[in-house]
Amino acid sequence: MSNDDSTSIDVGSWFATLARDWWAIVGLVVLGIVVGAAVTLAQPKQYTATSSVYIGQTTDANGNPMAGLNSNAKAAVQLLSSQVALTEAAERTGTDISASLLRKETTVETPSSTVKTSTSVVNIVVISVTDSDPERAAAAANALSEVLLERLESGVDEKIATLQSLLDAGRRQLAAATARAETAQKSIDAIAGGNGSQAEKAIAWAPYLAVVQGAATEQESLIASNGKLELQLLTAKQVEQPRVLHEAGVPDSPSGPKMTMNVALGALAGLVIGIIVAFARRGLAERRSSKGA
């Protein structure tokens, strides 16, 4: 007898075994469905609230991305898992949630972006809190966002304040240089319209002309410097500064437990147990038959 025939016979006997004890298999599947549904109904409803934070991107003087705390999504995740951050967030919720419970209920994800074959982490942290109280879940997710934001924005705020101070000083210097040039130009115009020879007028307006030329050179330098500062300030505000992208709202529908999933798992467990029982009964019957023979 060939191996194919043996295999065919074995498979046929397997199906015969399952067909003989179909009632046990079906019964266990039904029991699994009932148990899955009962477990689902017995479990308290869970609600998930989600907030997201843009952690920022550190840049150099030319606006090019560089390594830094605001560029490290993993550092943000570690910060949110620290006891200090969890304790502060728990207190901010104004509820009875504890830091230890918040740790168990919180999930922090860092989305990634795939371009061709390269995958990179996006500077966004998604914070999800799952709790039996929907309002508490939303409050906790928003509190964690606030704590993270405060930890990250201090350095950027200092940079923005410094750049703004330098820009304000540069603008004042530019205004002063413009005023000097305008005053000197008025003096030159007055001399040109007055009495005297051209040579006398040239001698008279020489110092004013030097002021106008010096002011023009200073203005050109200040305009370039202020332009660079404006660009750095804009980059700091738009790119580097972290901010909350999405506040968590109070969820209006539960996220779990999922009836469909639990029922399907119960049915699958019942099916597996039913098959095991069917083959166990077959083995027991074969042993009894061999003893009787």
Side-chain angles (χ1 to χ4, degrees):
M1 183 178 293
S2 66
N3 291 334
D4 293 341
D5 292 340
S6 299
T7 302
S8 177
I9 292 173
D10 288 341
V11 172
S13 66
W14 295 345
F15 280 110
T17 300
L18 297 177
R20 183 173 57 251
D21 292 327
W22 65 268
W23 55 271
I25 297 174
V26 172
L28 287 169
V29 169
V30 172
L31 179 61
I33 292 174
V34 172
V35 172
V39 169
T40 302
L41 294 174
Q43 290 178 331
K45 292 182 178 180
Q46 298 293 316
Y47 297 85
T48 300
T50 302
S51 63
S52 59
V53 177
Y54 170 67
I55 63 176
Q57 170 63 61
T58 307
T59 61
D60 59 18
N62 296 319
N64 298 316
M66 60 180 292
L69 177 61
N70 287 31
S71 310
N72 193 335
K74 291 183 179 180
V77 174
Q78 292 179 350
L79 193 155
L80 284 172
S81 64
S82 67
Q83 186 65 29
V84 174
L86 289 169
T87 300
E88 184 174 348
E91 293 175 352
R92 290 192 182 195
T93 63
T95 66
D96 59 349
I97 193 170
S98 63
S100 58
L101 179 59
L102 184 57
R103 183 188 298 277
K104 296 177 182 178
E105 295 183 340
T106 302
T107 301
V108 182
E109 298 177 336
T110 54
S112 59
S113 174
T114 302
V115 179
K116 294 183 178 179
T117 58
S118 176
T119 301
S120 59
V121 177
V122 181
N123 292 1
I124 296 176
V125 172
V126 179
I127 304 169
S128 299
V129 177
T130 301
D131 189 86
S132 57
D133 184 340
E135 294 184 355
R136 188 166 67 177
N142 288 327
L144 285 168
S145 294
E146 293 173 3
V147 170
L148 176 61
L149 191 64
E150 290 179 2
R151 296 293 194 280
L152 297 176
E153 66 183 357
S154 58
V156 181
D157 288 344
E158 291 178 5
K159 181 176 182 178
I160 290 175
T162 300
L163 289 172
Q164 188 65 61
S165 178
L166 292 172
L167 181 58
D168 291 342
R171 287 172 174 172
R172 288 193 297 269
Q173 292 174 1
L174 180 59
T178 301
R180 289 197 304 273
E182 291 175 349
T183 300
Q185 187 62 50
K186 289 179 181 178
S187 298
I188 292 174
D189 294 340
I191 293 172
N195 297 324
S197 64
Q198 193 66 23
E200 291 173 338
K201 291 179 180 180
I203 294 174
W205 73 44
Y208 298 107
L209 183 60
V211 171
V212 171
Q213 292 174 341
T217 301
E218 185 179 2
Q219 285 175 318
E220 183 178 357
S221 175
L222 287 170
I223 289 173
S225 176
N226 289 350
K228 186 174 182 179
L229 287 171
E230 288 175 352
L231 181 59
Q232 290 178 339
L233 185 59
L234 180 63
T235 301
K237 289 180 177 180
Q238 298 296 325
V239 179
E240 293 193 37
Q241 193 169 45
R243 53 189 174 273
V244 174
L245 291 179
H246 170 71
E247 289 188 359
V250 178
D252 53 6
S253 59
S255 57
K258 297 185 181 298
M259 175 68 75
T260 303
M261 180 180 293
N262 288 345
V263 167
L265 289 174
L268 179 60
L271 177 62
V272 172
I273 295 173
I275 293 173
I276 293 174
V277 168
F279 279 96
R281 285 170 54 83
R282 171 187 171 181
L284 182 60
E286 288 177 349
R287 285 195 297 271
R288 288 177 178 175
S289 177
S290 62
K291 289 180 179 179

